[in-house]
Amino acid sequence: MKSVWYKNAIVYSLDVETFKDSDGDGIGDFRGLTHRLDYLAGLGVNCLWLLPFYPSPNRDNGYDVMNYYDVDPRLGTLGDFVEFMHQARDRGIRVLIDLVVNHTSIEHPWFQSARQDKNSKYRNYYVWSDDPQPNPDLIAFPTKEDSIWEYDEQAGASYLHHFYKEQPDLNIGNPKVQEEILRIMGFWLELGVSGFRIDAAHFLVKNVGIDGASSEDLILFLERMREFVTARRADAILLAEANVSPDQIPVYFDQGNRMHMLFNFLLNQQLFLALARQDANTLKDGLKTLPCIPHNAQWLNFVRHHDELTLDRLSDEQRQEIFAAFAPEEQMQIFGRGIRRRLPPMMQNDRHRIEMIYSLAFTLPGTPLLRYGDEIGMGDDLSLEGRESVRTPMQWSDDPNGGFSTASPDALVRPVISEGEYSYPHVNVSFEQRDPASFLNWMEHLIRTRRQCPEFGTGKWQMLETNEPAVFAHACKLDGATVLALHNLSDRPCTVTLEDIQQEHLMEVFGDNFSLVRYDQKYKPLDQSSNTISMNAYGYRWFRVSAMH
Ligand code: GLC
């Protein structure tokens, strides 16, 4: 039987450059990260997703790669990477890395050679046109770029770029490019990674401007990648970033022979709509639109990650509802379709509500993802450009620079949040580790309990009817064991009637009753003679259901 470890992993994403600086140059590095592996293991994380750490001119936070076979010298060396991998493995932590192969950096030697010489063997590694079509709806960064084509003087032709013009798209239809991609994957698999996050996967399978390759051919490349990865390492996985409509999901999963996992963009957007409306039916509608996925496939559920909270799958009106609730000022929004804030500021730092949201994200069918700083309730810095607002350095302590680096503040890769309620003297790991009621200790508890309830990741799930429109209730069943979770999306307490569930069979395993900040709102013991369950405002309760005879 194949290992399905990814179905119940706790995934934690981080950017090496903003996590921990070990040598005082102001930039996080692999040695710094390695020193913090015990912290991550203690938190209960067992899978890291590292954002791109390759040499890069950093036009797009490292998503513009100059060399796929090395570590950016600012972050360390390949030797440091191998030592990090060894230490992570010792602690039972797997590592996924970003595979950014929809495009390279404009400074990649392949592109340099391709633009200089029509006869270069790299010319066809990219997509050229003498008569480019504007295709404005394909532009990934609409307020930053005005076309997906850029005329290049040296090349005497225009090249395709879905993202910044400094990120020319690779010609995935070219078998040589496909070979290069497999070689890159092979390299990192030998160094021990457990798989790849495939960046911009939905652009990889588009054949815009590519002569001779149909979209079907490109899709088949996803299968080749899967075969290759599995042949090299049976338990390695492919996690694709593909923000697509429900009918396109099968392109990525097919019969379970393409991607292992997909980011759940559909549910993420519907979740925020449900939160804005304080309405569980909106969330249910979202879950209903998800197609059935093969038994070996999995969703990766997230609240926020390193990009904007994109709301592009919603209608204009729905998007406006979310903006009004969580990002009312224009400077909080980006690209006309998203929000560039972290969760706590969006929720006015309402601890009860934030707990409920993470509890919900950890119980929804799939594997949960956290982003560095989520566990301590970090905020954002809207004075920074674009998506940088949510990419500030990790706050470790109340030492200068939040303990991230000993460099002078103006030498930091990005400023640490140093003012206001989210500033490092208020929000940091060291302080929260000492406070039993802290968000960090709550998060550790959440992770520990989620790991004890694999039913949420692998079980057969079912939404339950309740009499309360604000309460989302669902049950997950695996090998005869059942867990049940209730989440009150609203700011009003209520009492829920659950048909078919008898209280004597319920054992509460997690919930806001256990949260040390809810000391004044404890629930009464369940009343065995009734089938009602009370819920605090933004309450959440998980139960184990014992077998009914
Ligand atoms: C993905 C990344 C994003 C990046 C883009 C281009 O969407 O998450 O940060 O800008 O790809 O590589």
Side-chain angles (χ1 to χ4, degrees), residues 125 171-185 213 217-218 220-222 224-225:
Y125 273 36
N171 177 1
I172 307 296
N174 180 344
K176 290 254 172 343
V177 170
Q178 297 193 358
E179 270 169 40
E180 296 276 9
I181 294 174
L182 299 183
R183 193 167 305 127
I184 295 163
M185 295 168 89
D217 291 342
L218 299 180
L220 286 182
F221 181 53
L222 299 179
R224 265 192 87 197
M225 285 168 121

mmCIF file with all atom_site columns, all heavy atoms in Angstrom, residues 125 171-185 213 217-218 220-222 224-225:
data_model
loop_
_atom_site.group_PDB
_atom_site.id
_atom_site.type_symbol
_atom_site.label_atom_id
_atom_site.label_alt_id
_atom_site.label_comp_id
_atom_site.label_asym_id
_atom_site.label_entity_id
_atom_site.label_seq_id
_atom_site.pdbx_PDB_ins_code
_atom_site.Cartn_x
_atom_site.Cartn_y
_atom_site.Cartn_z
_atom_site.occupancy
_atom_site.B_iso_or_equiv
_atom_site.pdbx_formal_charge
_atom_site.auth_seq_id
_atom_site.auth_comp_id
_atom_site.auth_asym_id
_atom_site.auth_atom_id
_atom_site.pdbx_PDB_model_num
ATOM 1   N N   . TYR A 1 125 ? 13.528 27.373 -25.855 1.00 0.00 ? 125 TYR A N   1
ATOM 2   C CA  . TYR A 1 125 ? 13.160 27.137 -24.443 1.00 0.00 ? 125 TYR A CA  1
ATOM 3   C C   . TYR A 1 125 ? 12.092 28.149 -24.026 1.00 0.00 ? 125 TYR A C   1
ATOM 4   O O   . TYR A 1 125 ? 11.437 28.002 -23.016 1.00 0.00 ? 125 TYR A O   1
ATOM 5   C CB  . TYR A 1 125 ? 14.380 27.309 -23.526 1.00 0.00 ? 125 TYR A CB  1
ATOM 6   C CG  . TYR A 1 125 ? 15.226 26.065 -23.353 1.00 0.00 ? 125 TYR A CG  1
ATOM 7   C CD1 . TYR A 1 125 ? 15.431 25.179 -24.395 1.00 0.00 ? 125 TYR A CD1 1
ATOM 8   C CD2 . TYR A 1 125 ? 15.833 25.780 -22.129 1.00 0.00 ? 125 TYR A CD2 1
ATOM 9   C CE1 . TYR A 1 125 ? 16.215 24.051 -24.227 1.00 0.00 ? 125 TYR A CE1 1
ATOM 10  C CE2 . TYR A 1 125 ? 16.618 24.656 -21.947 1.00 0.00 ? 125 TYR A CE2 1
ATOM 11  C CZ  . TYR A 1 125 ? 16.806 23.797 -22.999 1.00 0.00 ? 125 TYR A CZ  1
ATOM 12  O OH  . TYR A 1 125 ? 17.586 22.677 -22.826 1.00 0.00 ? 125 TYR A OH  1
ATOM 13  N N   . ASN A 1 171 ? 8.927  27.380 -22.564 1.00 0.00 ? 171 ASN A N   1
ATOM 14  C CA  . ASN A 1 171 ? 8.133  26.678 -23.570 1.00 0.00 ? 171 ASN A CA  1
ATOM 15  C C   . ASN A 1 171 ? 7.983  25.219 -23.128 1.00 0.00 ? 171 ASN A C   1
ATOM 16  O O   . ASN A 1 171 ? 8.797  24.365 -23.470 1.00 0.00 ? 171 ASN A O   1
ATOM 17  C CB  . ASN A 1 171 ? 8.857  26.778 -24.914 1.00 0.00 ? 171 ASN A CB  1
ATOM 18  C CG  . ASN A 1 171 ? 8.146  26.009 -25.997 1.00 0.00 ? 171 ASN A CG  1
ATOM 19  O OD1 . ASN A 1 171 ? 7.098  25.409 -25.763 1.00 0.00 ? 171 ASN A OD1 1
ATOM 20  N ND2 . ASN A 1 171 ? 8.713  26.023 -27.198 1.00 0.00 ? 171 ASN A ND2 1
ATOM 21  N N   . ILE A 1 172 ? 6.929  24.963 -22.363 1.00 0.00 ? 172 ILE A N   1
ATOM 22  C CA  . ILE A 1 172 ? 6.766  23.624 -21.775 1.00 0.00 ? 172 ILE A CA  1
ATOM 23  C C   . ILE A 1 172 ? 6.511  22.572 -22.852 1.00 0.00 ? 172 ILE A C   1
ATOM 24  O O   . ILE A 1 172 ? 6.725  21.383 -22.650 1.00 0.00 ? 172 ILE A O   1
ATOM 25  C CB  . ILE A 1 172 ? 5.602  23.624 -20.747 1.00 0.00 ? 172 ILE A CB  1
ATOM 26  C CG1 . ILE A 1 172 ? 5.791  24.746 -19.705 1.00 0.00 ? 172 ILE A CG1 1
ATOM 27  C CG2 . ILE A 1 172 ? 5.495  22.290 -20.013 1.00 0.00 ? 172 ILE A CG2 1
ATOM 28  C CD1 . ILE A 1 172 ? 6.994  24.609 -18.825 1.00 0.00 ? 172 ILE A CD1 1
ATOM 29  N N   . GLY A 1 173 ? 6.052  23.024 -24.021 1.00 0.00 ? 173 GLY A N   1
ATOM 30  C CA  . GLY A 1 173 ? 5.816  22.072 -25.105 1.00 0.00 ? 173 GLY A CA  1
ATOM 31  C C   . GLY A 1 173 ? 7.114  21.514 -25.685 1.00 0.00 ? 173 GLY A C   1
ATOM 32  O O   . GLY A 1 173 ? 7.102  20.513 -26.404 1.00 0.00 ? 173 GLY A O   1
ATOM 33  N N   . ASN A 1 174 ? 8.230  22.138 -25.385 1.00 0.00 ? 174 ASN A N   1
ATOM 34  C CA  . ASN A 1 174 ? 9.516  21.689 -25.920 1.00 0.00 ? 174 ASN A CA  1
ATOM 35  C C   . ASN A 1 174 ? 10.037 20.501 -25.084 1.00 0.00 ? 174 ASN A C   1
ATOM 36  O O   . ASN A 1 174 ? 10.271 20.644 -23.885 1.00 0.00 ? 174 ASN A O   1
ATOM 37  C CB  . ASN A 1 174 ? 10.489 22.886 -25.851 1.00 0.00 ? 174 ASN A CB  1
ATOM 38  C CG  . ASN A 1 174 ? 11.870 22.544 -26.374 1.00 0.00 ? 174 ASN A CG  1
ATOM 39  O OD1 . ASN A 1 174 ? 12.219 21.371 -26.525 1.00 0.00 ? 174 ASN A OD1 1
ATOM 40  N ND2 . ASN A 1 174 ? 12.665 23.576 -26.631 1.00 0.00 ? 174 ASN A ND2 1
ATOM 41  N N   . PRO A 1 175 ? 10.222 19.336 -25.725 1.00 0.00 ? 175 PRO A N   1
ATOM 42  C CA  . PRO A 1 175 ? 10.661 18.149 -24.961 1.00 0.00 ? 175 PRO A CA  1
ATOM 43  C C   . PRO A 1 175 ? 11.962 18.400 -24.192 1.00 0.00 ? 175 PRO A C   1
ATOM 44  O O   . PRO A 1 175 ? 12.172 17.828 -23.118 1.00 0.00 ? 175 PRO A O   1
ATOM 45  C CB  . PRO A 1 175 ? 10.867 17.075 -26.030 1.00 0.00 ? 175 PRO A CB  1
ATOM 46  C CG  . PRO A 1 175 ? 10.128 17.555 -27.229 1.00 0.00 ? 175 PRO A CG  1
ATOM 47  C CD  . PRO A 1 175 ? 10.010 19.043 -27.144 1.00 0.00 ? 175 PRO A CD  1
ATOM 48  N N   . LYS A 1 176 ? 12.803 19.281 -24.728 1.00 0.00 ? 176 LYS A N   1
ATOM 49  C CA  . LYS A 1 176 ? 14.078 19.569 -24.039 1.00 0.00 ? 176 LYS A CA  1
ATOM 50  C C   . LYS A 1 176 ? 13.806 20.282 -22.715 1.00 0.00 ? 176 LYS A C   1
ATOM 51  O O   . LYS A 1 176 ? 14.479 20.045 -21.711 1.00 0.00 ? 176 LYS A O   1
ATOM 52  C CB  . LYS A 1 176 ? 14.948 20.477 -24.915 1.00 0.00 ? 176 LYS A CB  1
ATOM 53  C CG  . LYS A 1 176 ? 15.500 19.814 -26.143 1.00 0.00 ? 176 LYS A CG  1
ATOM 54  C CD  . LYS A 1 176 ? 16.983 19.571 -25.893 1.00 0.00 ? 176 LYS A CD  1
ATOM 55  C CE  . LYS A 1 176 ? 17.752 18.765 -26.890 1.00 0.00 ? 176 LYS A CE  1
ATOM 56  N NZ  . LYS A 1 176 ? 17.097 17.933 -27.846 1.00 0.00 ? 176 LYS A NZ  1
ATOM 57  N N   . VAL A 1 177 ? 12.826 21.173 -22.731 1.00 0.00 ? 177 VAL A N   1
ATOM 58  C CA  . VAL A 1 177 ? 12.471 21.882 -21.494 1.00 0.00 ? 177 VAL A CA  1
ATOM 59  C C   . VAL A 1 177 ? 11.894 20.879 -20.492 1.00 0.00 ? 177 VAL A C   1
ATOM 60  O O   . VAL A 1 177 ? 12.217 20.898 -19.301 1.00 0.00 ? 177 VAL A O   1
ATOM 61  C CB  . VAL A 1 177 ? 11.476 23.035 -21.781 1.00 0.00 ? 177 VAL A CB  1
ATOM 62  C CG1 . VAL A 1 177 ? 10.918 23.616 -20.494 1.00 0.00 ? 177 VAL A CG1 1
ATOM 63  C CG2 . VAL A 1 177 ? 12.164 24.122 -22.600 1.00 0.00 ? 177 VAL A CG2 1
ATOM 64  N N   . GLN A 1 178 ? 11.083 19.984 -20.989 1.00 0.00 ? 178 GLN A N   1
ATOM 65  C CA  . GLN A 1 178 ? 10.516 18.965 -20.092 1.00 0.00 ? 178 GLN A CA  1
ATOM 66  C C   . GLN A 1 178 ? 11.628 18.140 -19.451 1.00 0.00 ? 178 GLN A C   1
ATOM 67  O O   . GLN A 1 178 ? 11.602 17.850 -18.256 1.00 0.00 ? 178 GLN A O   1
ATOM 68  C CB  . GLN A 1 178 ? 9.561  18.063 -20.861 1.00 0.00 ? 178 GLN A CB  1
ATOM 69  C CG  . GLN A 1 178 ? 8.362  18.819 -21.421 1.00 0.00 ? 178 GLN A CG  1
ATOM 70  C CD  . GLN A 1 178 ? 7.238  17.914 -21.912 1.00 0.00 ? 178 GLN A CD  1
ATOM 71  O OE1 . GLN A 1 178 ? 7.352  16.698 -21.867 1.00 0.00 ? 178 GLN A OE1 1
ATOM 72  N NE2 . GLN A 1 178 ? 6.154  18.509 -22.385 1.00 0.00 ? 178 GLN A NE2 1
ATOM 73  N N   . GLU A 1 179 ? 12.621 17.790 -20.263 1.00 0.00 ? 179 GLU A N   1
ATOM 74  C CA  . GLU A 1 179 ? 13.758 17.031 -19.692 1.00 0.00 ? 179 GLU A CA  1
ATOM 75  C C   . GLU A 1 179 ? 14.478 17.825 -18.618 1.00 0.00 ? 179 GLU A C   1
ATOM 76  O O   . GLU A 1 179 ? 14.882 17.290 -17.592 1.00 0.00 ? 179 GLU A O   1
ATOM 77  C CB  . GLU A 1 179 ? 14.771 16.707 -20.788 1.00 0.00 ? 179 GLU A CB  1
ATOM 78  C CG  . GLU A 1 179 ? 14.513 15.403 -21.483 1.00 0.00 ? 179 GLU A CG  1
ATOM 79  C CD  . GLU A 1 179 ? 15.387 15.276 -22.719 1.00 0.00 ? 179 GLU A CD  1
ATOM 80  O OE1 . GLU A 1 179 ? 16.578 15.671 -22.676 1.00 0.00 ? 179 GLU A OE1 1
ATOM 81  O OE2 . GLU A 1 179 ? 14.862 14.814 -23.745 1.00 0.00 ? 179 GLU A OE2 1
ATOM 82  N N   . GLU A 1 180 ? 14.654 19.125 -18.897 1.00 0.00 ? 180 GLU A N   1
ATOM 83  C CA  . GLU A 1 180 ? 15.343 19.983 -17.907 1.00 0.00 ? 180 GLU A CA  1
ATOM 84  C C   . GLU A 1 180 ? 14.572 19.973 -16.581 1.00 0.00 ? 180 GLU A C   1
ATOM 85  O O   . GLU A 1 180 ? 15.157 19.908 -15.505 1.00 0.00 ? 180 GLU A O   1
ATOM 86  C CB  . GLU A 1 180 ? 15.445 21.437 -18.394 1.00 0.00 ? 180 GLU A CB  1
ATOM 87  C CG  . GLU A 1 180 ? 16.271 21.660 -19.632 1.00 0.00 ? 180 GLU A CG  1
ATOM 88  C CD  . GLU A 1 180 ? 17.776 21.786 -19.376 1.00 0.00 ? 180 GLU A CD  1
ATOM 89  O OE1 . GLU A 1 180 ? 18.226 21.543 -18.248 1.00 0.00 ? 180 GLU A OE1 1
ATOM 90  O OE2 . GLU A 1 180 ? 18.480 22.125 -20.355 1.00 0.00 ? 180 GLU A OE2 1
ATOM 91  N N   . ILE A 1 181 ? 13.242 20.050 -16.699 1.00 0.00 ? 181 ILE A N   1
ATOM 92  C CA  . ILE A 1 181 ? 12.424 20.117 -15.479 1.00 0.00 ? 181 ILE A CA  1
ATOM 93  C C   . ILE A 1 181 ? 12.571 18.819 -14.681 1.00 0.00 ? 181 ILE A C   1
ATOM 94  O O   . ILE A 1 181 ? 12.743 18.842 -13.454 1.00 0.00 ? 181 ILE A O   1
ATOM 95  C CB  . ILE A 1 181 ? 10.942 20.397 -15.840 1.00 0.00 ? 181 ILE A CB  1
ATOM 96  C CG1 . ILE A 1 181 ? 10.822 21.802 -16.444 1.00 0.00 ? 181 ILE A CG1 1
ATOM 97  C CG2 . ILE A 1 181 ? 10.041 20.261 -14.616 1.00 0.00 ? 181 ILE A CG2 1
ATOM 98  C CD1 . ILE A 1 181 ? 9.448  22.169 -16.969 1.00 0.00 ? 181 ILE A CD1 1
ATOM 99  N N   . LEU A 1 182 ? 12.540 17.697 -15.383 1.00 0.00 ? 182 LEU A N   1
ATOM 100 C CA  . LEU A 1 182 ? 12.694 16.430 -14.662 1.00 0.00 ? 182 LEU A CA  1
ATOM 101 C C   . LEU A 1 182 ? 14.079 16.338 -14.020 1.00 0.00 ? 182 LEU A C   1
ATOM 102 O O   . LEU A 1 182 ? 14.233 15.839 -12.902 1.00 0.00 ? 182 LEU A O   1
ATOM 103 C CB  . LEU A 1 182 ? 12.455 15.242 -15.597 1.00 0.00 ? 182 LEU A CB  1
ATOM 104 C CG  . LEU A 1 182 ? 11.051 15.170 -16.224 1.00 0.00 ? 182 LEU A CG  1
ATOM 105 C CD1 . LEU A 1 182 ? 10.911 13.908 -17.068 1.00 0.00 ? 182 LEU A CD1 1
ATOM 106 C CD2 . LEU A 1 182 ? 9.948  15.212 -15.178 1.00 0.00 ? 182 LEU A CD2 1
ATOM 107 N N   . ARG A 1 183 ? 15.078 16.868 -14.706 1.00 0.00 ? 183 ARG A N   1
ATOM 108 C CA  . ARG A 1 183 ? 16.431 16.820 -14.152 1.00 0.00 ? 183 ARG A CA  1
ATOM 109 C C   . ARG A 1 183 ? 16.509 17.648 -12.860 1.00 0.00 ? 183 ARG A C   1
ATOM 110 O O   . ARG A 1 183 ? 17.133 17.248 -11.886 1.00 0.00 ? 183 ARG A O   1
ATOM 111 C CB  . ARG A 1 183 ? 17.431 17.335 -15.191 1.00 0.00 ? 183 ARG A CB  1
ATOM 112 C CG  . ARG A 1 183 ? 18.877 17.035 -14.820 1.00 0.00 ? 183 ARG A CG  1
ATOM 113 C CD  . ARG A 1 183 ? 19.831 17.250 -15.979 1.00 0.00 ? 183 ARG A CD  1
ATOM 114 N NE  . ARG A 1 183 ? 19.435 16.473 -17.148 1.00 0.00 ? 183 ARG A NE  1
ATOM 115 C CZ  . ARG A 1 183 ? 19.261 16.991 -18.369 1.00 0.00 ? 183 ARG A CZ  1
ATOM 116 N NH1 . ARG A 1 183 ? 19.452 18.262 -18.603 1.00 0.00 ? 183 ARG A NH1 1
ATOM 117 N NH2 . ARG A 1 183 ? 18.900 16.223 -19.367 1.00 0.00 ? 183 ARG A NH2 1
ATOM 118 N N   . ILE A 1 184 ? 15.856 18.784 -12.877 1.00 0.00 ? 184 ILE A N   1
ATOM 119 C CA  . ILE A 1 184 ? 15.839 19.636 -11.676 1.00 0.00 ? 184 ILE A CA  1
ATOM 120 C C   . ILE A 1 184 ? 15.173 18.878 -10.525 1.00 0.00 ? 184 ILE A C   1
ATOM 121 O O   . ILE A 1 184 ? 15.668 18.846 -9.393  1.00 0.00 ? 184 ILE A O   1
ATOM 122 C CB  . ILE A 1 184 ? 15.066 20.952 -11.952 1.00 0.00 ? 184 ILE A CB  1
ATOM 123 C CG1 . ILE A 1 184 ? 15.788 21.794 -12.999 1.00 0.00 ? 184 ILE A CG1 1
ATOM 124 C CG2 . ILE A 1 184 ? 14.865 21.744 -10.667 1.00 0.00 ? 184 ILE A CG2 1
ATOM 125 C CD1 . ILE A 1 184 ? 14.925 22.892 -13.634 1.00 0.00 ? 184 ILE A CD1 1
ATOM 126 N N   . MET A 1 185 ? 14.050 18.248 -10.832 1.00 0.00 ? 185 MET A N   1
ATOM 127 C CA  . MET A 1 185 ? 13.342 17.502 -9.783  1.00 0.00 ? 185 MET A CA  1
ATOM 128 C C   . MET A 1 185 ? 14.228 16.367 -9.255  1.00 0.00 ? 185 MET A C   1
ATOM 129 O O   . MET A 1 185 ? 14.314 16.139 -8.043  1.00 0.00 ? 185 MET A O   1
ATOM 130 C CB  . MET A 1 185 ? 12.033 16.929 -10.335 1.00 0.00 ? 185 MET A CB  1
ATOM 131 C CG  . MET A 1 185 ? 11.045 17.996 -10.733 1.00 0.00 ? 185 MET A CG  1
ATOM 132 S SD  . MET A 1 185 ? 9.671  17.351 -11.690 1.00 0.00 ? 185 MET A SD  1
ATOM 133 C CE  . MET A 1 185 ? 8.565  16.948 -10.397 1.00 0.00 ? 185 MET A CE  1
ATOM 134 N N   . ALA A 1 213 ? 2.004  22.394 -29.756 1.00 0.00 ? 213 ALA A N   1
ATOM 135 C CA  . ALA A 1 213 ? 1.684  21.632 -28.541 1.00 0.00 ? 213 ALA A CA  1
ATOM 136 C C   . ALA A 1 213 ? 0.245  21.926 -28.156 1.00 0.00 ? 213 ALA A C   1
ATOM 137 O O   . ALA A 1 213 ? -0.131 23.074 -27.978 1.00 0.00 ? 213 ALA A O   1
ATOM 138 C CB  . ALA A 1 213 ? 2.610  22.020 -27.398 1.00 0.00 ? 213 ALA A CB  1
ATOM 139 N N   . ASP A 1 217 ? -1.386 17.821 -24.662 1.00 0.00 ? 217 ASP A N   1
ATOM 140 C CA  . ASP A 1 217 ? 0.018  17.379 -24.560 1.00 0.00 ? 217 ASP A CA  1
ATOM 141 C C   . ASP A 1 217 ? 0.639  17.916 -23.275 1.00 0.00 ? 217 ASP A C   1
ATOM 142 O O   . ASP A 1 217 ? 1.383  17.228 -22.583 1.00 0.00 ? 217 ASP A O   1
ATOM 143 C CB  . ASP A 1 217 ? 0.878  17.943 -25.703 1.00 0.00 ? 217 ASP A CB  1
ATOM 144 C CG  . ASP A 1 217 ? 0.518  17.333 -27.031 1.00 0.00 ? 217 ASP A CG  1
ATOM 145 O OD1 . ASP A 1 217 ? -0.118 16.259 -27.019 1.00 0.00 ? 217 ASP A OD1 1
ATOM 146 O OD2 . ASP A 1 217 ? 0.861  17.953 -28.065 1.00 0.00 ? 217 ASP A OD2 1
ATOM 147 N N   . LEU A 1 218 ? 0.331  19.193 -23.002 1.00 0.00 ? 218 LEU A N   1
ATOM 148 C CA  . LEU A 1 218 ? 0.936  19.817 -21.829 1.00 0.00 ? 218 LEU A CA  1
ATOM 149 C C   . LEU A 1 218 ? 0.418  19.148 -20.554 1.00 0.00 ? 218 LEU A C   1
ATOM 150 O O   . LEU A 1 218 ? 1.162  18.936 -19.595 1.00 0.00 ? 218 LEU A O   1
ATOM 151 C CB  . LEU A 1 218 ? 0.643  21.316 -21.798 1.00 0.00 ? 218 LEU A CB  1
ATOM 152 C CG  . LEU A 1 218 ? 1.193  22.100 -22.987 1.00 0.00 ? 218 LEU A CG  1
ATOM 153 C CD1 . LEU A 1 218 ? 0.844  23.571 -22.868 1.00 0.00 ? 218 LEU A CD1 1
ATOM 154 C CD2 . LEU A 1 218 ? 2.706  21.951 -23.082 1.00 0.00 ? 218 LEU A CD2 1
ATOM 155 N N   . LEU A 1 220 ? -0.436 16.145 -20.281 1.00 0.00 ? 220 LEU A N   1
ATOM 156 C CA  . LEU A 1 220 ? 0.226  14.848 -20.128 1.00 0.00 ? 220 LEU A CA  1
ATOM 157 C C   . LEU A 1 220 ? 1.580  14.986 -19.434 1.00 0.00 ? 220 LEU A C   1
ATOM 158 O O   . LEU A 1 220 ? 2.061  14.059 -18.794 1.00 0.00 ? 220 LEU A O   1
ATOM 159 C CB  . LEU A 1 220 ? 0.396  14.156 -21.483 1.00 0.00 ? 220 LEU A CB  1
ATOM 160 C CG  . LEU A 1 220 ? -0.907 13.595 -22.038 1.00 0.00 ? 220 LEU A CG  1
ATOM 161 C CD1 . LEU A 1 220 ? -0.646 12.887 -23.356 1.00 0.00 ? 220 LEU A CD1 1
ATOM 162 C CD2 . LEU A 1 220 ? -1.564 12.645 -21.044 1.00 0.00 ? 220 LEU A CD2 1
ATOM 163 N N   . PHE A 1 221 ? 2.151  16.163 -19.558 1.00 0.00 ? 221 PHE A N   1
ATOM 164 C CA  . PHE A 1 221 ? 3.425  16.370 -18.867 1.00 0.00 ? 221 PHE A CA  1
ATOM 165 C C   . PHE A 1 221 ? 3.235  16.261 -17.344 1.00 0.00 ? 221 PHE A C   1
ATOM 166 O O   . PHE A 1 221 ? 4.139  15.820 -16.630 1.00 0.00 ? 221 PHE A O   1
ATOM 167 C CB  . PHE A 1 221 ? 4.048  17.725 -19.251 1.00 0.00 ? 221 PHE A CB  1
ATOM 168 C CG  . PHE A 1 221 ? 5.371  17.970 -18.593 1.00 0.00 ? 221 PHE A CG  1
ATOM 169 C CD1 . PHE A 1 221 ? 6.402  17.034 -18.679 1.00 0.00 ? 221 PHE A CD1 1
ATOM 170 C CD2 . PHE A 1 221 ? 5.602  19.128 -17.871 1.00 0.00 ? 221 PHE A CD2 1
ATOM 171 C CE1 . PHE A 1 221 ? 7.627  17.246 -18.052 1.00 0.00 ? 221 PHE A CE1 1
ATOM 172 C CE2 . PHE A 1 221 ? 6.818  19.358 -17.236 1.00 0.00 ? 221 PHE A CE2 1
ATOM 173 C CZ  . PHE A 1 221 ? 7.833  18.409 -17.326 1.00 0.00 ? 221 PHE A CZ  1
ATOM 174 N N   . LEU A 1 222 ? 2.062  16.642 -16.842 1.00 0.00 ? 222 LEU A N   1
ATOM 175 C CA  . LEU A 1 222 ? 1.801  16.478 -15.413 1.00 0.00 ? 222 LEU A CA  1
ATOM 176 C C   . LEU A 1 222 ? 1.927  15.001 -15.027 1.00 0.00 ? 222 LEU A C   1
ATOM 177 O O   . LEU A 1 222 ? 2.424  14.647 -13.958 1.00 0.00 ? 222 LEU A O   1
ATOM 178 C CB  . LEU A 1 222 ? 0.402  16.986 -15.040 1.00 0.00 ? 222 LEU A CB  1
ATOM 179 C CG  . LEU A 1 222 ? 0.085  18.458 -15.285 1.00 0.00 ? 222 LEU A CG  1
ATOM 180 C CD1 . LEU A 1 222 ? -1.360 18.757 -14.872 1.00 0.00 ? 222 LEU A CD1 1
ATOM 181 C CD2 . LEU A 1 222 ? 1.038  19.380 -14.539 1.00 0.00 ? 222 LEU A CD2 1
ATOM 182 N N   . ARG A 1 224 ? 3.763  12.787 -16.618 1.00 0.00 ? 224 ARG A N   1
ATOM 183 C CA  . ARG A 1 224 ? 5.189  12.403 -16.676 1.00 0.00 ? 224 ARG A CA  1
ATOM 184 C C   . ARG A 1 224 ? 5.904  12.811 -15.404 1.00 0.00 ? 224 ARG A C   1
ATOM 185 O O   . ARG A 1 224 ? 6.756  12.100 -14.882 1.00 0.00 ? 224 ARG A O   1
ATOM 186 C CB  . ARG A 1 224 ? 5.871  13.097 -17.863 1.00 0.00 ? 224 ARG A CB  1
ATOM 187 C CG  . ARG A 1 224 ? 5.912  12.245 -19.096 1.00 0.00 ? 224 ARG A CG  1
ATOM 188 C CD  . ARG A 1 224 ? 6.840  12.871 -20.120 1.00 0.00 ? 224 ARG A CD  1
ATOM 189 N NE  . ARG A 1 224 ? 8.239  12.483 -19.973 1.00 0.00 ? 224 ARG A NE  1
ATOM 190 C CZ  . ARG A 1 224 ? 9.247  13.155 -20.529 1.00 0.00 ? 224 ARG A CZ  1
ATOM 191 N NH1 . ARG A 1 224 ? 9.013  14.244 -21.232 1.00 0.00 ? 224 ARG A NH1 1
ATOM 192 N NH2 . ARG A 1 224 ? 10.484 12.744 -20.371 1.00 0.00 ? 224 ARG A NH2 1
ATOM 193 N N   . MET A 1 225 ? 5.559  14.010 -14.927 1.00 0.00 ? 225 MET A N   1
ATOM 194 C CA  . MET A 1 225 ? 6.190  14.476 -13.685 1.00 0.00 ? 225 MET A CA  1
ATOM 195 C C   . MET A 1 225 ? 5.865  13.506 -12.554 1.00 0.00 ? 225 MET A C   1
ATOM 196 O O   . MET A 1 225 ? 6.710  13.151 -11.744 1.00 0.00 ? 225 MET A O   1
ATOM 197 C CB  . MET A 1 225 ? 5.666  15.862 -13.300 1.00 0.00 ? 225 MET A CB  1
ATOM 198 C CG  . MET A 1 225 ? 6.199  16.990 -14.127 1.00 0.00 ? 225 MET A CG  1
ATOM 199 S SD  . MET A 1 225 ? 5.218  18.462 -13.767 1.00 0.00 ? 225 MET A SD  1
ATOM 200 C CE  . MET A 1 225 ? 6.434  19.554 -13.201 1.00 0.00 ? 225 MET A CE  1
#
